[in-house]
Amino acid sequence: MASLAKFLFFVSFTILTSTSVAQTSHSPNALLFPITKDTVTLQYMTEIHMGTPLNRIKLLVDLNGPFLWIDPLTPSSSSSYRTINCRSIDCSRAQANHCGTTDTCVLFPKNPITQTASQGDLAEDIFAFHSSDGSMISTAHQLLFTTSPAFLSKGLANGAKGVFGLGMTRIAPPSQIAASLGLQRKFSICLSSSEGIILTGDCSGNMCKSLTYTPLVTDRGDYFISMKSMKIDGRKLSFTMPPKDVRIKFSTVIPHTTMESSIYETFISAYLKAATRINMTTVASMPPFSMCFSAKSVGRTPIGPAVPPVDLLLQTEMVKWRIQGRNLMVRVTDEIMCLGIINGGLDAKDSIVLGGYQLEDNLLQFDLGTSMLGFSSSSTTKQTSCSNLKMSFTGTEELL
């Protein structure tokens, strides 16, 4: 069955490229990108198909990345690839301020893992995507991306050729796809320890109908929400200097949540007290984690380890993001599990950054039109997961 699906997939692509179809016969409500987690680097990866002929390209998912960038060895072999002139409207859309030696539009892609940046040309090519029902492929001509030197991909998971940026810019894929195919200016992401998804456009699954909403704050193209206070096991934390609307940043490239040192010290002290009350036994720390426990002292529940939950209180105490169970504890060995929240240091750029592990099995919907974030908290409380959500859209495990 899987072989038949792949054969039909290849035939569909061949027809699309040979006839230069600009879009499908009916307008999709959303386009779907699969996400997998690399077990070595803990990076979240997706795949796209681009060029003539179409090639499959593996990319790092960067929620705050300003655009899509790709190793130039890939697009250079495409007959539909072209660079963008630095005096064009597309270059203005990209807010580029530099011209190359051949009047190309120049941007500066950055590797979010190594923090290395370099010069690249803004270009365009044909890309192909799955619609959210998994039954067809849509193409979007003139999708902009930035080329990069080959060395910029160092530090990415094996086989990755660039970064799929989802940031709040006019040339990030969600904004471009919405404009090209007439979709709503929103996207949803659901990470998983195995298989997750990105949906650009409208999310119509059952999980999407029961989200909690909070204002979305953007800064430098990054995504934040505001936190009023925090609770551990129902008890509000007393900070030495109460955080007045502390901003929480979302990240798909940081494996675990980080907190600025002054916030972390208050948090970790309160968490130790809560853990002690339920007889959790501490053991020696295991870097990068500073608080670890004997697995034998931790009970089990349907949503993971029975540990004190953490509530991030947002615009009111009634609106909260709960982190619990498996999103809190990282199993380091058979005998040890550690609190998956890390001290970000005194000079941390952001007060709190929610990392990938804490985001897993949480459905997030970024509405760019209304600047609102919809979130499910952990879907495991509903006895489902992001892997199940993916299958509910595709109807099959063989998405690509």
Side-chain angles (χ1 to χ4, degrees):
M1 188 67 182
S3 298
L4 176 60
K6 290 179 179 178
F7 173 76
L8 294 175
F9 178 75
F10 172 78
V11 172
S12 299
F13 267 162
T14 304
I15 294 172
L16 279 171
T17 53
S18 63
T19 57
S20 300
V21 179
Q23 61 183 27
T24 55
S25 58
H26 68 281
S27 179
N29 293 323
L31 299 183
L32 185 150
F33 301 84
I35 299 177
T36 57
K37 186 175 184 179
D38 183 80
T39 56
V40 176
T41 62
L42 305 183
Q43 295 170 13
Y44 300 94
M45 315 304 296
T46 191
E47 290 182 339
I48 61 172
H49 295 79
M50 65 165 284
T52 304
L54 286 165
N55 291 300
R56 182 180 295 192
I57 302 172
K58 182 179 178 180
L59 301 167
L60 172 74
V61 176
D62 183 3
L63 185 59
N64 298 300
F67 43 72
L68 167 66
W69 65 259
I70 300 173
D71 185 317
L73 294 178
T74 304
S76 63
S77 60
S78 169
S79 62
S80 50
Y81 164 83
R82 77 176 185 90
T83 56
I84 302 300
N85 187 279
C86 66
R87 296 175 181 83
S88 66
I89 295 176
D90 285 335
C91 193
S92 297
R93 285 174 59 201
Q95 297 183 326
N97 298 315
H98 296 81
C99 286
T101 55
T102 57
D103 284 339
T104 54
C105 183
V106 173
L107 289 173
F108 294 88
K110 181 178 181 180
N111 182 321
I113 304 299
T114 63
Q115 298 301 306
T116 304
S118 187
Q119 178 176 309
D121 291 333
L122 185 66
E124 68 178 10
D125 208 334
I126 293 174
F127 288 75
F129 316 100
H130 275 277
S131 66
S132 59
D133 62 9
S135 64
M136 65 177 185
I137 302 166
S138 298
T139 62
H141 294 262
Q142 300 178 342
L143 193 65
L144 300 172
F145 66 99
T146 302
T147 63
S148 72
F151 73 82
L152 202 61
S153 295
K154 291 182 178 178
L156 302 184
N158 185 41
K161 294 293 185 180
V163 170
F164 192 77
L166 298 169
M168 183 64 165
T169 68
R170 295 178 67 186
I171 63 167
S175 295
Q176 286 199 74
I177 293 170
S180 178
L181 298 179
L183 304 179
Q184 295 186 45
R185 290 190 63 232
K186 61 175 67 173
F187 70 92
S188 304
I189 185 168
C190 204
L191 301 180
S192 170
S193 58
S194 54
E195 297 180 319
I197 60 169
I198 299 169
L199 286 173
T200 61
D202 189 37
C203 179
S204 57
N206 290 331
M207 282 177 62
C208 307
K209 298 175 182 178
S210 58
L211 301 179
T212 301
Y213 290 88
T214 191
L216 183 64
V217 180
T218 57
D219 183 11
R220 309 179 306 274
D222 297 349
Y223 297 108
F224 298 82
I225 56 175
S226 294
M227 182 188 77
K228 298 286 187 183
S229 58
M230 186 186 304
K231 288 182 178 180
I232 295 177
D233 206 18
R235 302 188 183 192
K236 186 177 290 188
L237 272 62
S238 297
F239 292 93
T240 303
M241 296 181 64
K244 185 178 181 180
D245 286 359
V246 166
R247 295 199 313 182
I248 300 174
K249 179 180 176 179
F250 297 96
S251 175
T252 54
V253 298
I254 295 177
H256 303 97
T257 292
T258 63
M259 295 181 178
E260 184 272 331
S261 287
S262 63
I263 296 175
Y264 182 80
E265 289 170 3
T266 300
F267 168 82
I268 207 71
S269 175
Y271 201 88
L272 178 59
K273 292 177 182 177
T276 301
R277 286 195 294 269
I278 60 172
N279 299 317
M280 292 173 61
T281 304
T282 58
V283 297
S285 61
M286 298 188 69
F289 309 113
S290 62
M291 180 171 288
C292 298
F293 303 91
S294 167
K296 293 180 180 179
S297 68
V298 180
R300 297 290 302 176
T301 73
I303 59 172
V307 296
V310 176
D311 290 324
L312 309 177
L313 308 181
L314 307 180
Q315 60 263 43
T316 69
E317 291 204 14
M318 298 298 293
V319 182
K320 63 184 179 183
W321 180 304
R322 170 161 286 192
I323 308 173
Q324 59 187 335
R326 91 119 182 119
N327 289 109
L328 268 180
M329 291 293 158
V330 179
R331 194 68 177 248
V332 181
T333 69
D334 290 341
E335 294 79 27
I336 298 173
M337 58 179 60
C338 299
L339 183 64
I341 297 178
I342 298 170
N343 190 338
L346 288 170
D347 58 349
K349 183 179 178 181
D350 301 294
S351 299
I352 300 175
V353 180
L354 280 182
Y357 190 80
Q358 279 68 44
L359 296 180
E360 287 181 2
D361 291 320
N362 287 272
L363 175 63
L364 306 180
Q365 184 180 80
F366 294 81
D367 192 325
L368 308 183
T370 62
S371 294
M372 294 294 288
L373 174 78
F375 62 94
S376 64
S377 284
S378 178
S379 63
T380 56
T381 61
K382 304 174 180 65
Q383 303 300 303
T384 186
S385 67
C386 289
S387 296
N388 293 337
L389 178 63
K390 172 189 167 183
M391 290 183 64
S392 73
F393 282 108
T394 64
T396 175
E397 296 183 18
E398 195 67 45
L399 176 64
L400 286 179

